[in-house]
Amino acid sequence: MRNIVIGNLKPLQNVSKNSSMVKFHVFSLNVTTHKAPEFIDITESIRKCLADSMVNNGTLNVYSCHTTAAIKINENEPLLLQDMERFLERAAPRNDHYMHNDFNVRTVNMTEDECPNGHAHCQQLLLGTSESIPIINGTLAMGKWQSIFMVELDRPRSREILVQIMGA
Amino acid sequence: MRNIVIGNLKPLQNVSKNSSMVKFHVFSLNVTTHKAPEFIDITESIRKCLADSMVNNGTLNVYSCHTTAAIKINENEPLLLQDMERFLERAAPRNDHYMHNDFNVRTVNMTEDECPNGHAHCQQLLLGTSESIPIINGTLAMGKWQSIFMVELDRPRSREILVQIMGA
Amino acid sequence: MRNIVIGNLKPLQNVSKNSSMVKFHVFSLNVTTHKAPEFIDITESIRKCLADSMVNNGTLNVYSCHTTAAIKINENEPLLLQDMERFLERAAPRNDHYMHNDFNVRTVNMTEDECPNGHAHCQQLLLGTSESIPIINGTLAMGKWQSIFMVELDRPRSREILVQIMGA
């Protein structure tokens, strides 16, 4: 038997707002990675985007432009980041067999510097490409322990993240 | 060989709308949890937020303020909830070794009542922090079997969920 | 020691825009599936929705109306799709024991043509129901290798995806 108790709804009245002028902003964020998997905390850079946008109420969407780099919100505790990196490695080991890595057979999307990265694509499946965060009174409405991470899954390189802000 | 058939696009014309007045609402929802993992159906509370907002067309974003509680949409069938709870426990067992749980070594983000919860953070990685649902003609455009869940991963406690509604 | 280098923020000024007229569009997309798991690339159909909407800057949300079909962004390389399908099968095997599949015991949400699909619900947990993509200057701001997939997890059937576009 479940006895579920859900508290009364608390409308945050100070952020209820009608606006006749909506702003749309997109920022591009370049991130240099050093290993894989690697959790890189991009929270402060995203806060700067929000400050630049002058948006007080609305939504901020963080979007990874890559198929082997993910967006995730979790806690920035250094030992935990190592735990989570090991967890991803175990979930889809680099040395498992992936047909995507068989360059004798594969013909599609082959590049000059193609590296075996089937594991990185499978790890990305478990994570995700975007997260949307409410903006309340000019600040990101994140919990005390939440940080926004770009997760490198493939190999060290330069990555592009988009930060989209809609609101008033 | 894949023979993919995708139906003609069906624009839902009755929800195409231009508006010169956009509303932004955020509601806070307190949820009391009783065990972990625990799937708690918050669909009805979220529908009340939508009704309160008077928004007819737009997007509703459900956001967990926590790093060990997730937002997920799935089916509310009691036996399935038990299956999914066991599935999460197997994916990142509570009793595995997590450096995050080694309080002899760890120095960062330590609180008075710190409990070992490395498994909960890893389970959260597999789930996620936000989901966005279309609002059509004043109702959530969810499928017949879909319910919105907050998933407790750590231990019984009080949790905060934000429900953000943007639209007209 | 982590030496994280994050590039200077690059605001995409050409997409910063204030608008006094916001558009809200929702399209319904029917997808016929042929097996499970099956990754079906729906990118082109979604691009048509965007073109129809005449929205230049804003957000596009792709939403699955189902609890055993997911939305995911990854690379459309045929061998990789097979790798990812096998990866999902291993993560939650069809033949594992799921109480949801025990029709002698289960009483909730039973339909005439009920099929055992506990594995599909668990696989869906690992994936997700929605992804939000920025729209910049009338195009989806996706990376070079990104395609949008609906992932069938249950069995061949007809599925409904909603494509919501908000912007100006």
Side-chain angles (χ1 to χ4, degrees):
Chain A
M1 285 294 288
R2 281 154 183 271
N3 175 25
I4 293 172
V5 179
I6 297 182
N8 287 326
L9 292 175
K10 190 174 56 177
L12 301 178
Q13 289 296 356
N14 54 338
V15 301
S16 290
K17 184 167 176 174
N18 294 348
S19 176
S20 59
M21 187 61 68
V22 179
K23 297 176 191 168
F24 301 88
H25 290 271
V26 183
F27 295 81
S28 169
L29 181 56
N30 287 300
V31 182
T32 303
T33 66
H34 304 85
K35 61 167 189 156
E38 183 183 21
F39 281 75
I40 299 182
D41 190 331
I42 58 176
T43 313
E44 280 318 301
S45 296
I46 289 172
R47 289 216 168 93
K48 280 185 201 152
C49 297
L50 177 55
D52 271 21
S53 76
M54 310 279 281
V55 166
N56 285 312
N57 296 291
T59 293
L60 185 146
N61 180 241
V62 187
Y63 182 83
S64 164
C65 295
H66 306 280
T67 55
T68 55
I71 300 300
K72 215 70 208 180
I73 296 174
N74 214 298
E75 181 183 345
N76 189 353
E77 191 279 298
L79 298 178
L80 175 63
L81 300 189
Q82 292 181 51
D83 287 328
M84 294 194 293
E85 288 161 6
R86 265 209 319 270
F87 177 72
L88 290 172
E89 280 171 354
R90 274 204 312 266
R94 181 176 293 270
N95 294 324
D96 268 10
H97 174 69
Y98 302 94
M99 294 161 66
H100 184 61
N101 296 354
D102 186 346
F103 301 158
N104 292 322
V105 174
R106 181 176 150 202
T107 57
V108 177
N109 292 357
M110 293 294 292
T111 60
E112 288 269 324
D113 60 343
E114 196 68 35
C115 289
N117 68 354
H119 66 290
H121 287 284
C122 288
Q123 290 171 10
Q124 216 272 356
L125 266 196
L126 300 180
L127 304 182
T129 301
S130 66
E131 287 279 10
S132 293
I133 307 163
I135 303 163
I136 301 182
N137 296 329
T139 64
L140 284 175
M142 296 169 67
K144 180 178 179 181
W145 303 111
Q146 290 185 311
S147 291
I148 309 165
F149 292 93
M150 193 205 82
V151 192
E152 173 63 72
L153 300 165
D154 190 352
R155 61 184 195 278
R157 50 168 73 183
S158 179
R159 297 294 203 171
E160 182 179 17
I161 302 301
L162 296 179
V163 180
Q164 179 171 57
I165 300 170
M166 289 177 60
Chain B
M1 285 295 291
R2 281 156 183 269
N3 176 24
I4 293 171
V5 179
I6 297 181
N8 286 326
L9 292 174
K10 188 173 58 178
L12 302 177
Q13 289 295 355
N14 53 338
V15 300
S16 293
K17 184 167 174 174
N18 293 348
S19 176
S20 59
M21 188 61 68
V22 179
K23 297 175 190 168
F24 301 89
H25 291 271
V26 183
F27 295 81
S28 169
L29 180 57
N30 288 299
V31 182
T32 302
T33 67
H34 305 85
K35 60 166 190 157
E38 184 183 20
F39 281 74
I40 299 182
D41 191 331
I42 58 175
T43 314
E44 279 318 302
S45 296
I46 290 172
R47 289 217 167 93
K48 281 185 201 150
C49 297
L50 177 55
D52 272 21
S53 75
M54 312 276 281
V55 166
N56 285 312
N57 295 292
T59 293
L60 185 146
N61 181 241
V62 188
Y63 182 83
S64 164
C65 295
H66 306 280
T67 54
T68 55
I71 300 301
K72 214 70 207 180
I73 297 173
N74 213 298
E75 180 182 345
N76 189 352
E77 191 280 298
L79 298 178
L80 176 64
L81 300 188
Q82 293 182 48
D83 287 328
M84 294 195 292
E85 289 162 5
R86 265 209 319 272
F87 178 71
L88 289 173
E89 280 171 352
R90 274 205 312 266
R94 182 177 292 270
N95 293 324
D96 268 10
H97 173 69
Y98 302 93
M99 293 162 65
H100 185 62
N101 296 354
D102 187 347
F103 300 159
N104 292 322
V105 174
R106 181 175 149 201
T107 58
V108 177
N109 292 356
M110 293 294 292
T111 59
E112 288 269 323
D113 60 343
E114 195 68 35
C115 289
N117 67 354
H119 66 290
H121 287 283
C122 288
Q123 289 170 11
Q124 214 272 356
L125 266 196
L126 300 181
L127 303 182
T129 302
S130 66
E131 287 278 10
S132 293
I133 306 163
I135 303 163
I136 301 182
N137 296 329
T139 64
L140 285 175
M142 296 169 66
K144 179 177 181 183
W145 303 111
Q146 289 186 310
S147 292
I148 308 166
F149 293 92
M150 194 206 79
V151 192
E152 174 63 73
L153 300 166
D154 191 352
R155 60 183 195 278
R157 51 169 71 182
S158 178
R159 297 295 203 171
E160 183 179 17
I161 302 301
L162 296 178
V163 181
Q164 179 171 53
I165 300 171
M166 289 175 60
Chain C
M1 287 291 292
R2 281 155 184 271
N3 176 25
I4 295 172
V5 180
I6 298 182
N8 286 324
L9 292 174
K10 190 173 57 177
L12 302 177
Q13 289 297 353
N14 54 336
V15 298
S16 292
K17 183 166 175 176
N18 293 348
S19 176
S20 60
M21 189 58 71
V22 178
K23 296 175 190 168
F24 302 87
H25 291 271
V26 183
F27 295 80
S28 169
L29 180 57
N30 288 300
V31 182
T32 303
T33 67
H34 305 85
K35 60 166 190 161
E38 183 182 22
F39 281 75
I40 299 183
D41 191 332
I42 57 175
T43 313
E44 279 317 301
S45 295
I46 290 173
R47 289 217 168 94
K48 280 185 201 151
C49 297
L50 178 54
D52 271 21
S53 76
M54 311 279 280
V55 167
N56 284 312
N57 296 292
T59 293
L60 184 146
N61 181 241
V62 188
Y63 182 83
S64 164
C65 295
H66 306 280
T67 55
T68 54
I71 300 299
K72 215 69 206 181
I73 297 172
N74 213 299
E75 180 182 346
N76 189 352
E77 191 279 300
L79 298 178
L80 176 64
L81 300 188
Q82 293 182 49
D83 287 327
M84 295 194 293
E85 288 162 6
R86 266 209 319 271
F87 177 71
L88 290 172
E89 280 171 353
R90 275 204 312 265
R94 181 176 292 269
N95 293 325
D96 268 10
H97 173 70
Y98 302 93
M99 293 162 65
H100 184 62
N101 295 353
D102 186 347
F103 300 159
N104 293 323
V105 176
R106 181 176 149 200
T107 57
V108 178
N109 293 355
M110 293 294 292
T111 59
E112 288 270 323
D113 60 343
E114 196 67 35
C115 288
N117 66 355
H119 67 290
H121 287 284
C122 288
Q123 290 170 10
Q124 214 273 357
L125 268 196
L126 300 180
L127 303 182
T129 301
S130 66
E131 288 278 10
S132 293
I133 306 163
I135 304 163
I136 302 182
N137 296 329
T139 64
L140 285 174
M142 297 171 65
K144 180 177 180 182
W145 303 110
Q146 290 185 310
S147 292
I148 308 165
F149 293 92
M150 194 206 80
V151 191
E152 173 63 73
L153 299 166
D154 192 352
R155 61 184 194 277
R157 51 170 70 184
S158 179
R159 297 295 202 171
E160 182 180 17
I161 302 301
L162 296 179
V163 180
Q164 179 172 54
I165 300 171
M166 288 175 61

